[in-house]
Amino acid sequence: MGGLAAGPRATAAAKAPLLAPTPPMGWNSWNSFATTITEAQALETAAIQARELLPFGYDVFTIDIQWYEPEASSYTYNAKPVPTLDGHGRLLPAPNRFPSAANGKGFAPIAAKVHALGMKFGVHLMRGIPRLAVERNLPVLGTSGVRAADIADITSICPWNPDMYGVDMRKPGAQAYYNSVFALLASWGVDFVKMDDMSRPYDAHSPEIEAAAKAIHASGRPILLSLSPGETPVPRAAHVARHAQMWRISDDFWDDWKMLEAQFTRLENWSPHTRPGAWPDADMLPLGRLALGQRDTKFTPDEQRTLMTLWSIARSPLIMGGDLRHLDAPTRALLTNREVLAVNQASSENRPWFVADDRRVWTARAAKGGHYVALFNTGDKPGEAAFDLRLLGLSGKVQVRNLWEGKDEGPGPLRLARTLPPHGAALYRVIPA
């Protein structure tokens, strides 16, 4: 049946390391710098990340949108951008913001410094081909005579960003264009690409999702692909997991309780589709100093604990968005609780339960035995959240450990019940007594 011929190739494929075997962890510039980050700010932040967060697993450092835009200034986009391009219509870092990128070096110098810190380097990329490349009708690298206007779909435009046109993947040279883009990123040493304007509308953009995955494979570099924004449709779970390692389940998430409350349902819906190498992404953690330094997070301390508890028990990627130059002790403690991070990185059988109004419960199996139980009060008043541990197959007494407090609470009954503050959460590990 051809088994012998397929054997060596199948063995080689099996030995290829899985990209993102655990939920990615890191930092991204969007929540704190918008479109404006510079080389000096990036390197300062990367050094802080390496010192404060890398020891706890936060190893991806990502420069978000419009690093190619010399005039980028805020959370709004210039209507007529003039991005920095090479002669083949590929985006380059704006040298007025990233001086080391001059003379065709791109992000290679910054990537090398990030790698030297022991971290991975990520960039943001918009779907498509720059409109300026189409206006200039630049040649597509790797083709004989194909130009930008030949592959652009000028009817496929992002509703909120004016930089790009879609690429019509039915056209000759379309895949070559994407191959050229990812070959350039790979040559710089990029490890992670957050690709935007991809997941909605999903079916309209799925040819370009497939094209990006093919281009990464062709580049020869193991680049992790993160699709943005959501809401990625749950019925497309199998397709998205074949082509990306993480994908957004919502639009941009900010420090607003209603947004946080809505993520519960989305993570519940996605929970059957979470597995190593495929991570539904509830978006970045808007904690600490945000929005070009204009304010601190609006989440209360209880809401911040709820955020970290939910992202951890649901195994969403943990990407810090706040300005690390202003990292305070409470935020650092929230991000670096090793017992909580172990839930995110090493638990299994993660699942939601539906037991009461204004209460949410998740459980998971702990890697070193026992179970994790997360209790949430999403109501506006203090109240009891409870869970019957017999549903996990437990009997008799159990030993209870409070992960956020880092202490054992001693033996307890099979009804785990705690009074929680409004919008509050608690996280426990339970083992048979």
Side-chain angles (χ1 to χ4, degrees):
M1 301 295 289
L4 287 175
R9 181 178 293 180
T11 303
K15 289 180 179 175
L18 183 68
L19 278 174
T22 59
M25 299 173 64
W27 179 86
N28 175 292
S29 62
W30 173 249
N31 288 156
S32 42
F33 288 95
T35 61
T36 70
I37 195 166
T38 65
E39 178 165 350
Q41 292 166 336
L43 293 176
E44 181 183 8
T45 301
I48 298 168
Q49 179 181 341
R51 184 180 72 240
E52 300 290 340
L53 298 181
L54 177 60
F56 299 89
Y58 294 85
D59 64 352
V60 181
F61 172 86
T62 302
I63 293 176
D64 207 274
I65 195 166
Q66 284 202 327
W67 39 267
Y68 44 80
E69 165 63 289
E71 304 299 324
S73 61
S74 72
Y75 284 98
T76 56
Y77 304 105
N78 296 328
K80 288 283 188 181
V82 184
T84 309
L85 302 177
D86 73 0
H88 295 283
R90 300 178 297 179
L91 296 163
L92 300 173
N96 64 320
R97 294 168 54 199
F98 301 97
S100 70
N103 303 315
K105 292 179 182 173
F107 271 134
I110 292 179
K113 290 181 178 180
V114 171
H115 292 153
L117 291 168
M119 300 193 298
K120 300 168 185 170
F121 181 65
V123 296
H124 176 285
L125 193 66
M126 290 296 298
R127 177 183 67 90
I129 187 166
R131 295 186 193 184
L132 186 63
V134 177
E135 290 172 24
R136 295 177 178 173
N137 208 17
L138 296 172
V140 175
L141 189 65
T143 68
S144 54
V146 176
R147 291 186 172 266
D150 299 326
I151 63 171
D153 179 357
I154 63 171
T155 68
S156 177
I157 58 176
C158 175
W160 45 265
N161 176 278
D163 297 347
M164 315 288 271
Y165 291 127
V167 173
D168 186 341
M169 294 312 302
R170 298 168 297 186
K171 298 290 183 67
Q175 186 64 48
Y177 166 72
Y178 269 119
N179 287 359
S180 76
V181 169
F182 280 91
L184 181 62
L185 299 181
S187 76
W188 293 343
V190 170
D191 307 294
F192 178 101
V193 173
K194 174 186 172 182
M195 202 159 179
D196 220 331
D197 190 37
M198 288 290 253
S199 290
R200 193 186 67 245
Y202 191 89
D203 293 346
H205 297 163
S206 61
E208 288 181 270
I209 293 171
E210 295 171 10
K214 287 178 188 172
I216 288 172
H217 182 74
S219 80
R221 186 172 179 84
I223 297 173
L224 191 154
L225 182 61
S226 165
L227 301 184
S228 186
E231 189 166 325
T232 305
V234 177
R236 296 294 176 266
H239 183 272
V240 73
R242 275 200 305 275
H243 296 99
Q245 288 71 52
M246 55 186 271
W247 55 88
R248 284 270 296 280
I249 64 171
S250 71
D251 281 334
D252 283 5
F253 173 76
W254 280 96
D255 47 332
D256 174 89
W257 169 250
K258 288 298 180 188
M259 286 188 172
L260 177 50
E261 191 175 25
Q263 297 300 65
F264 277 93
T265 301
R266 294 189 178 104
L267 287 165
E268 289 158 3
N269 290 340
W270 274 104
S271 64
H273 306 289
T274 300
R275 59 175 170 77
W279 305 108
D281 175 19
D283 202 12
M284 294 172 289
L285 305 167
L287 300 169
R289 184 69 53 84
L290 303 171
L292 299 167
Q294 293 172 6
R295 60 181 177 82
D296 290 330
T297 186
K298 296 176 193 168
F299 283 137
T300 67
D302 288 319
E303 290 167 348
Q304 293 177 49
R305 180 173 285 193
T306 290
L307 167 66
M308 282 297 292
T309 303
L310 178 60
W311 266 234
S312 294
I313 194 74
R315 303 199 77 189
S316 174
L318 296 176
I319 310 293
M320 171 60 171
D323 190 337
L324 297 185
R325 301 172 303 173
H326 301 276
L327 184 64
D328 59 15
T331 306
R332 186 185 185 281
L334 198 68
L335 293 168
T336 59
N337 181 311
R338 291 192 186 277
E339 292 184 84
V340 174
L341 294 178
V343 181
N344 179 267
Q345 293 291 296
S347 61
S348 60
E349 300 177 30
N350 308 67
R351 60 172 295 185
W353 300 80
F354 306 95
V355 294
D357 293 339
D358 290 335
R359 303 292 183 268
R360 297 309 234 277
V361 177
W362 278 70
T363 63
R365 190 171 290 278
K368 296 180 180 178
H371 296 267
Y372 295 122
V373 181
L375 304 176
F376 301 93
N377 172 17
T378 57
D380 296 329
K381 298 176 181 177
E384 182 184 80
F387 183 68
D388 186 343
L389 297 174
R390 290 176 297 185
L391 292 169
L392 301 176
L394 294 170
S395 59
K397 294 275 187 182
V398 293
Q399 291 285 352
V400 179
R401 181 165 177 82
N402 185 324
L403 301 190
W404 278 116
E405 304 302 330
K407 59 188 180 189
D408 295 318
E409 295 189 352
L414 288 172
R415 183 176 186 269
L416 182 67
R418 298 292 186 273
T419 298
L420 299 177
H423 305 174
L427 183 58
Y428 301 94
R429 181 175 173 224
V430 294
I431 58 174

